[in-house]
Amino acid sequence: PHGPRDASGDQPCSAPVQADWSGFCECAHGFTTADVRCDHEVFTCDERCTKQWQWMQGQLANARGEAAGGGDGGGGGGGEARSVADADSELEQLYRRGKQFYVVGNIELAIRHYREALRLDPDHRAAKDDYKKLKKLQKAMQEAAARLPKTVEGGRKVQLEQRENAELALRAIEAALAVAPPAVYRAELYANLCKCHTALKQGEEALKSCAEHKRLDGGGAGSLLYMAEAHVLNEQFEEALAEYRAVQELDEGNREAREGIDLVRRLQKRAAQVDHYKILNISRSATEREIKRAYHKLAVVYHPDKYQAKDAKDAEEADRKFKQVARAYEVLGDEELRRKYDLGEDPDDANKGGPRGHPGSMFRHMHHGGQRVHVRFG
């Protein structure tokens, strides 16, 4: 299981388990039972626990009867009948144990039990269906784990590979969730979904997936940190601070929470000064192409050789905006500068002189972040 159990989601044994619920029944005698798929008939755990207990008692009575009868009880026919009954009993036990391992999150043991059950009866429909579903779930989770984005330094090629891996992991996670697994798997799947959406800078999706992981995880420190990062991505700084402080209440010396609070403070300070994303009228998740397109659009509007000023004051304001646009592109158009800017650093501290480009001619080469941009007018 991933994180502590969320007891708030438990229901009393007398409550009707609806057809679109998944989970399991914890019975009074220390065993579990019940169908975990979201395609079952409505039932109560009282009913299922009673049936399971009766079945277990029947198995125990059969075993005691065989021991008292001294084996086959006489007669070859009776022994053959018991052999068939034993095989059926073993098959049912394997299937039930496999389902119980599935419910508690042990895919390997669940698959092993289903496989043994299918050896006894290759046409056992329930075991066959669950086996196929579990294999699909296992494959999807393994693919997602192998593709999850990692925190690495690197140039454009490395970043593109990371983005591609995150998109592939996203598809694998969605395939796993389509199997409708119990909550024990969904907690991990939504944690990874949250990581992918955040890495891809998909703000709204990150908030939804991280919130669901937090619910399934029961508010553990890990889910709180993921939630805080999603809030930061969406520039919800006060909400992010609340999550980081909640982590510190659980673990006063948590380094990630401390660093997260420092980051939020820097971002709040920067937001009060200049926001290059707002200057270009783009979101924080904007791609390189979107950044370039926004820059070109605004550069054409405010370029001194193109802008039709009403008076000297208007011309001065247009020139100021043009320089802001140029500087915003200089920062966001450069991978390293953008990374530092997103971490709350102020790239203007090392360059108080503003943008490097100097507007002038009708056809100009403007260098921004190591790139040459051609802007033609007329």
Side-chain angles (χ1 to χ4, degrees):
H2 186 91
R5 175 180 176 180
D6 183 7
S8 64
D10 291 350
Q11 299 289 330
C13 289
S14 59
V17 179
Q18 302 301 322
D20 59 347
W21 291 10
S22 65
F24 60 94
C25 297
E26 286 189 344
C27 303
H29 296 280
F31 60 89
T32 63
T33 187
D35 201 339
V36 299
R37 294 175 295 182
C38 295
D39 58 356
H40 53 72
E41 297 291 334
V42 177
F43 63 88
T44 68
C45 284
D46 281 336
E47 297 169 352
R48 290 301 181 91
C49 287
T50 298
K51 288 182 180 179
Q52 178 73 355
W53 177 250
Q54 290 172 346
W55 179 83
M56 293 170 66
Q57 291 297 100
Q59 293 298 305
L60 180 60
N62 289 340
R64 287 173 176 168
E66 289 181 3
D72 62 10
E80 182 179 347
R82 266 192 302 276
S83 177
V84 173
D86 288 345
D88 288 341
S89 175
E90 183 179 358
L91 173 62
E92 188 64 21
Q93 288 181 32
L94 286 168
Y95 175 69
R96 288 173 182 267
R97 288 171 185 166
K99 185 169 285 291
Q100 289 177 355
F101 280 122
Y102 171 46
V103 169
V104 299
N106 195 324
I107 291 183
E108 291 292 342
L109 280 178
I111 288 177
R112 189 182 305 171
H113 279 75
Y114 286 142
R115 190 180 290 132
E116 290 297 321
L118 290 171
R119 285 178 181 172
L120 291 177
D121 181 3
D123 296 323
H124 191 285
R125 184 60 181 270
K128 186 184 294 185
D129 290 346
D130 282 358
Y131 179 74
K132 289 180 179 178
K133 182 171 66 174
L134 267 180
K135 290 294 289 184
K136 182 178 180 181
L137 176 63
Q138 183 185 51
K139 180 181 178 181
M141 292 184 71
Q142 288 174 345
E143 288 179 357
R147 296 286 187 174
L148 280 178
K150 302 175 179 62
T151 304
V152 295
E153 298 291 336
R156 175 174 171 74
K157 182 178 180 180
V158 173
Q159 297 305 316
L160 286 175
E161 288 177 353
Q162 285 288 87
R163 183 177 183 85
E164 181 181 356
N165 282 335
E167 291 172 346
L168 291 172
L170 202 61
R171 288 199 287 270
I173 294 167
E174 290 170 348
L177 287 170
V179 176
V184 66
Y185 301 97
R186 294 201 305 275
E188 179 181 346
L189 288 170
Y190 273 100
N192 293 336
L193 195 64
C194 167
K195 293 178 188 177
C196 291
H197 284 314
T198 302
L200 292 169
K201 296 188 176 180
Q202 298 171 345
E204 186 175 345
E205 292 85 350
L207 284 176
K208 291 179 181 179
S209 56
C210 293
E212 180 63 10
H213 169 57
K214 179 181 175 181
R215 185 187 72 81
L216 292 167
D217 183 64
S223 63
L224 294 174
L225 289 170
Y226 290 150
M227 194 73 242
E229 291 176 8
H231 283 308
V232 170
L233 177 61
N234 286 272
E235 299 184 26
Q236 298 172 347
F237 299 132
E238 290 302 323
E239 291 86 344
L241 284 175
E243 300 290 353
Y244 283 129
R245 286 168 181 153
V247 174
Q248 289 185 322
E249 290 179 6
L250 297 174
D251 179 7
E252 185 176 355
N254 189 283
R255 178 180 58 82
E256 292 177 86
R258 184 176 65 253
E259 292 177 351
I261 291 174
D262 291 341
L263 169 61
V264 172
R265 293 302 188 197
R266 291 198 303 271
L267 292 174
Q268 286 179 317
K269 181 180 178 181
R270 190 192 70 191
Q273 297 171 347
V274 61
D275 189 328
H276 292 315
Y277 288 103
K278 288 183 179 179
I279 290 173
L280 292 183
N281 195 28
I282 56 177
S283 68
R284 290 173 60 86
S285 61
T287 63
E288 180 183 3
R289 179 176 295 181
E290 290 171 336
I291 293 171
K292 185 176 293 186
R293 186 185 301 122
Y295 164 68
H296 277 284
K297 181 178 179 181
L298 293 172
V300 169
V301 172
Y302 294 110
H303 194 284
D305 292 340
K306 188 70 174 178
Y307 186 78
Q308 298 295 321
K310 299 176 182 178
D311 50 38
K313 185 177 181 181
D314 188 33
E316 183 179 343
E317 176 64 15
D319 183 65
R320 184 185 68 82
K321 288 183 177 179
F322 178 72
K323 290 179 179 179
Q324 283 185 334
V325 168
R327 180 54 180 163
Y329 180 70
E330 187 174 27
V331 172
L332 300 183
D334 181 278
E335 292 179 12
E336 182 61 18
L337 286 178
R338 184 183 183 185
R339 185 187 68 80
K340 291 181 178 179
Y341 182 73
D342 287 343
L343 289 174
E345 298 181 22
D346 185 2
D348 290 319
D349 282 348
N351 184 8
K352 294 293 185 180
R356 300 179 203 141
H358 298 281
S361 65
M362 295 292 286
F363 181 81
R364 180 171 308 281
H365 300 292
M366 288 180 286
H367 299 271
H368 297 299
Q371 304 176 63
R372 173 165 292 190
V373 181
H374 302 276
V375 181
R376 184 186 296 274
F377 305 102

